[in-house]
Amino acid sequence: MACRLADSGFYFTGPHQGRVRRSRIASQCFHGICHVKWGILPKGGRRHQFLSHHRGTRIVQAVAVPVQPPTVDSAEQRKHLAKSYGFTQIGEPLPENVTLKDIIDTLPKKVFEIDDVKAWKSVLISVTSYALGIFMISKAPWYLLPLAWAWTGTAVTGFFVIGHDCAHKSFSRNKLVEDIVGTLAFLPLIYPYEPWRFKHDRHHAKTNMLSEDTAWHPVWREEFDSSPALRKAIIFGYGPFRPWMSIAHWLIWHFDLRKFRPSEVKRVKISLACVFAFITIGWPLIIYKTGVMGWIKFWLMPWLGYHFWMSTFTMVHHTAPHIPFKSSDEWNAAQSQLNGTVHCNYPHWIEILCHDINVHIPHHVSPRIPSYNLRAAHRSIQENWGKYLNEATWNWRLMKTIMTMCHVYSGSSTSLAVKDDLINDLPKTSPVSNSYLYMADCVCLGCFSSSLHFSSSTENCLFLATCWPAV
């Protein structure tokens, strides 16, 4: 590891702040990672045109990590990163000589088998739970409506997973049945089935490929710096608004015919016609029966709940800081699908309503595995490839890691970058040889968090500074 920090020469300074005595800094270093905690920030102080002080005690953490996604070569470092990021395990790097076929060949043949009874049982679960949710909304007093919306939004996410199986040809042996069921399952979500299927196939073919992945990829540095307005949109879109960013993805990727091949356009038009028919007929009927407020209660709020899960599943599965996005000439299918996909456990009722879509690693190893066989496939993968898996249980630290670390790609690496648009003109980190790191005062990001993230890469290192309220 080329990045080393000497405790005797590691200082924090700010625009109007002198160097801090070394005695106030306590460091804890691992191979490739250095955590520095600083107990007290100054109170009061002059307000700057773009910064303000917070009164009281604050804890400052500085982390030095490689510009390439953090190396996880040692068990000690993987354990430390897992605890820091909210994971239960961060897997070892998969050897370059392992192919995706090698992994698929270790799976039991039965996990690929389609079972019509289990498939239609999934439909029954989703329809019943959604109907129950609508009933709860109709009967719940106003203060219980958020709970009813949470249930109904999660239940309607099950519709998406059923359509998702249809798109992967793992729902039925009859492909016409799959097309019909998939289209109908997507209608309450006003999601065009065929456009989504075409783009989602590309996501599986190009998972974690830098520019080609259609689900998510890092922001390019040039794009991040192109304009203050875009910078602000990226910061908030990849931060506090990220659990609903799938709405933007839905709008951008699925309604523009120019984004599809000529051979795909006919099927895309059919799906779009179905969606617009649902909007034209379904929405007026809902409003006619229940009024505009009824439309908000019975359709819009569950729909937003669905997008919360759509966004959350996507970002948890693929966007942890240690998971790299690579250019097409460096990309490795086995590493991206097994090593670059996260398995996350959620509360059991969510997993039931969402048909185990969170058991995501086997789904990326082979999309032909039906949702009801994902757990059996995952157990097999754990037995044969367990040390390479990234696994987590859904928790606040995991979400904070994903939503407060902005992924910006510059040149040859994915990095973490400036977290607040109010600090565009902050001084950059000095080279390591100068032995100090500039750090501005804390900036409050509204009700989302009191945090400041900025970075600057040296030859081999990236620095991330974060300020959180003391707890």
Side-chain angles (χ1 to χ4, degrees):
M1 175 63 190
C3 178
R4 291 182 296 174
L5 299 174
D7 182 71
S8 60
F10 192 76
Y11 296 93
F12 286 103
T13 68
H16 301 274
Q17 179 180 318
R19 292 185 179 182
V20 179
R21 297 197 319 273
R22 196 171 59 247
S23 60
R24 297 171 67 185
I25 298 176
S27 64
Q28 181 182 18
C29 295
F30 295 84
H31 178 69
I33 291 185
C34 182
H35 281 268
V36 180
K37 292 188 176 181
W38 173 25
I40 302 176
L41 288 178
K43 298 182 180 180
R46 282 197 303 132
R47 292 185 178 273
H48 313 298
Q49 60 179 346
F50 50 82
L51 295 173
S52 63
H53 291 286
H54 287 287
R55 290 184 293 177
T57 300
R58 298 291 185 268
I59 298 298
V60 175
Q61 292 182 320
V63 184
V65 295
V67 168
Q68 291 289 350
T71 58
V72 287
D73 295 330
S74 72
E76 182 182 21
Q77 184 174 358
R78 289 195 302 275
K79 183 179 179 180
H80 175 75
L81 282 177
K83 181 178 180 181
S84 175
Y85 292 164
F87 281 72
T88 54
Q89 174 179 300
I90 287 180
E92 298 179 18
L94 188 70
E96 292 280 350
N97 62 342
V98 176
T99 67
L100 196 57
K101 184 178 183 302
D102 294 334
I103 302 169
I104 293 173
D105 287 345
T106 65
L107 293 171
K109 300 301 181 184
K110 63 180 181 181
V111 303
F112 298 97
E113 295 175 0
I114 293 174
D115 187 322
D116 290 333
V117 173
K118 291 180 180 179
W120 287 103
K121 180 183 176 182
S122 298
V123 175
L124 181 62
I125 290 172
S126 288
V127 171
T128 303
S129 59
Y130 180 67
L132 176 60
I134 296 298
F135 176 77
M136 291 166 59
I137 292 172
S138 69
K139 299 298 182 181
W142 65 268
Y143 52 86
L144 291 180
L145 279 175
L147 295 178
W149 288 330
W151 172 275
T152 311
T154 308
V156 82
T157 304
F159 284 23
F160 170 82
V161 179
I162 290 168
H164 177 266
D165 269 14
C166 292
H168 285 301
K169 309 304 179 187
S170 60
F171 179 83
S172 172
R173 296 175 183 83
N174 187 315
K175 302 313 171 189
L176 178 60
V177 169
E178 287 185 321
D179 288 343
I180 293 172
V181 172
T183 298
L184 292 176
F186 274 32
L187 279 186
L189 309 171
I190 56 174
Y191 228 118
Y193 171 73
E194 292 290 355
W196 176 84
R197 181 172 71 86
F198 291 135
K199 295 304 179 185
H200 188 68
D201 284 348
R202 187 176 179 184
H203 162 61
H204 276 272
K206 311 288 185 180
T207 302
N208 292 5
M209 196 177 288
L210 185 58
S211 298
E212 291 82 356
D213 192 342
T214 58
W216 189 90
H217 49 74
V219 179
W220 286 85
R221 181 76 198 192
E222 294 80 4
E223 181 183 17
F224 190 70
D225 292 336
S226 62
S227 75
L230 181 59
R231 180 187 182 91
K232 185 174 183 178
I234 290 171
I235 288 167
F236 283 94
Y238 283 74
F241 300 148
R242 196 168 178 188
W244 289 275
M245 279 297 286
S246 60
I247 297 174
H249 185 272
W250 162 73
L251 283 171
I252 292 169
W253 282 97
H254 303 97
F255 294 90
D256 187 350
L257 294 178
R258 294 170 297 179
K259 293 184 181 294
F260 300 93
R261 301 183 183 95
S263 60
E264 299 170 342
V265 169
K266 182 178 179 180
R267 298 182 71 91
V268 168
K269 287 181 176 179
I270 294 173
S271 287
L272 293 178
C274 292
V275 166
F276 291 133
F278 179 86
I279 293 173
T280 304
I281 299 171
W283 284 6
L285 282 175
I286 296 172
I287 294 171
Y288 176 75
K289 292 290 186 180
T290 65
V292 174
M293 288 304 299
W295 177 82
I296 294 173
K297 283 177 57 177
F298 291 100
W299 186 83
L300 180 62
M301 298 307 293
W303 185 76
L304 292 175
Y306 152 71
H307 274 286
F308 170 83
W309 288 120
M310 184 75 166
S311 300
T312 297
F313 288 146
T314 301
M315 63 186 179
V316 168
H317 290 158
H318 298 294
T319 63
H322 66 285
I323 294 177
F325 280 72
K326 297 184 178 181
S327 59
S328 56
D329 56 336
E330 298 176 327
W331 185 79
N332 178 292
Q335 290 176 345
S336 295
Q337 310 295 10
L338 186 78
N339 240 175
T341 304
V342 175
H343 169 84
C344 184
N345 294 312
Y346 291 81
H348 192 50
W349 69 274
I350 295 173
E351 296 178 344
I352 292 173
L353 295 187
C354 296
H355 308 302
D356 290 335
I357 191 62
N358 58 295
V359 187
H360 211 60
I361 295 175
H363 173 64
H364 266 267
V365 169
S366 176
R368 295 189 298 111
I369 301 173
S371 58
Y372 44 81
N373 288 336
L374 288 174
R375 289 198 176 276
H378 187 72
R379 286 192 294 270
S380 173
I381 290 174
Q382 283 180 315
E383 291 172 3
N384 293 287
W385 308 93
K387 64 181 180 180
Y388 303 113
L389 304 185
N390 290 288
E391 298 183 313
T393 296
W394 196 45
N395 63 84
W396 169 243
R397 183 180 294 274
L398 176 68
M399 294 297 288
K400 189 181 80 171
T401 296
I402 294 170
M403 294 172 62
T404 62
M405 292 187 176
C406 183
H407 292 225
V408 177
Y409 182 85
S410 178
S412 61
S413 63
T414 302
S415 64
L416 310 176
V418 180
K419 190 66 182 70
D420 196 290
D421 63 318
L422 301 176
I423 53 174
N424 292 334
D425 298 323
L426 280 176
K428 296 182 182 300
T429 303
S430 298
V432 174
S433 58
N434 288 350
S435 298
Y436 65 89
L437 173 68
Y438 279 116
M439 181 175 155
D441 303 315
C442 294
V443 177
C444 180
L445 300 181
C447 62
F448 172 58
S449 65
S450 297
S451 64
L452 168 63
H453 291 198
F454 66 92
S455 67
S456 177
S457 57
T458 61
E459 180 180 357
N460 292 297
C461 295
L462 170 82
F463 292 91
L464 169 66
T466 312
C467 176
W468 299 103
V471 293

